[in-house]
Amino acid sequence: MKIISSLLVCGFFTSSAFAADYAGLGADSISKESIEAFRPKPLEPSLSRRIQSMLDISSPSAGMLSPDGAKLYFSWRVTGVSQVWRLDGPQRFPVQMTGGEDATQIAGISPDGQTLVIQRDRKGEENPGLYLQPAGGGALKEIQRIAGVQTRFAFVSDDNQYVYYSANDKQKDSYTIYRYHIASATKQVVFDQPGLWNIADQHHGRILLEKTITNLAAEFYELADGELKPLFGQNEKEEYSAAYGQGRMS
């Protein structure tokens, strides 16, 4: 197992004007009066047109290669809204995979390269849902999209049967780990304990879980065969980043 220890110090500024009525996430977390008082005022039409013409030139994301290295999937805002595109080889014209008015990004690719995992954020609510799409294109198949819930992709299993993800659908301040069976379109709880849990990595059925304690500190555990094993970070105040290496973990 490869372990890297680092420290990141961040400063945050919170306006007292928002402290009294802020709670949660998104447009519903603050009053309309506060939004109206602090929102940017409309620009002059001439200045707005100049800015929009500059934004017409948009750079794509780095993207993800298909497992065989033949195709590149990436997100691009060239249409005005982030969507998923595909390149079928060098010097080829990009093919648009998704459309619509909601920001959409590529989240993952199955090991066999046949299925894409798509993340779509409805109306910029910052509560994205997860979807599947055939690698050749087609309609999106919903894994989970719940209003007010953050659904976070983790990985596709080595056998291409399951999509693992986490979501705060049971408690707003706690993330449950799920797996979605692609063939039957059913989901199953993998791990459900209170806390800010995140899947840091996986290796042949062994899952490395990260539990966020503070904005810097985290604890790491391994989940294998339904049993949770503490690894490091417990009762510490250190920021760790961890992933499985090529060999087995000792």
Side-chain angles (χ1 to χ4, degrees), residues 60-68 70-76 83-88 95 97 105-109 113-116 118 133-137:
S61 67
M64 296 181 182
L65 280 172
S66 60
D68 61 4
K71 295 178 174 59
L72 176 68
Y73 298 92
F74 59 95
S75 302
W76 197 11
Q83 298 295 341
V84 177
W85 297 69
R86 185 187 77 231
L87 273 177
D88 294 327
V95 177
M97 301 285 291
Q105 296 180 332
I106 178 75
I109 306 174
Q114 298 301 306
T115 306
L116 307 181
I118 303 295
Q133 183 183 44

Side-chain angles (χ1 to χ4, degrees), residues 6-12 215-216 239:
S6 60
L7 179 65
L8 176 65
V9 180
C10 301
F12 296 92
N215 65 320
L216 293 178
E239 183 183 14

Side-chain angles (χ1 to χ4, degrees), residues 114-154:
Q114 298 301 306
T115 306
L116 307 181
V117 182
I118 303 295
Q119 179 176 291
R120 170 165 281 180
D121 186 18
R122 179 178 175 272
K123 297 182 179 181
E125 295 175 349
E126 299 183 22
N127 295 304
L130 280 183
Y131 303 81
L132 297 177
Q133 183 183 44
L140 300 186
K141 178 182 179 181
E142 182 179 301
I143 295 176
Q144 177 168 289
R145 191 269 159 190
I146 303 173
V149 170
Q150 292 190 330
T151 303
R152 308 183 300 189
F153 169 71

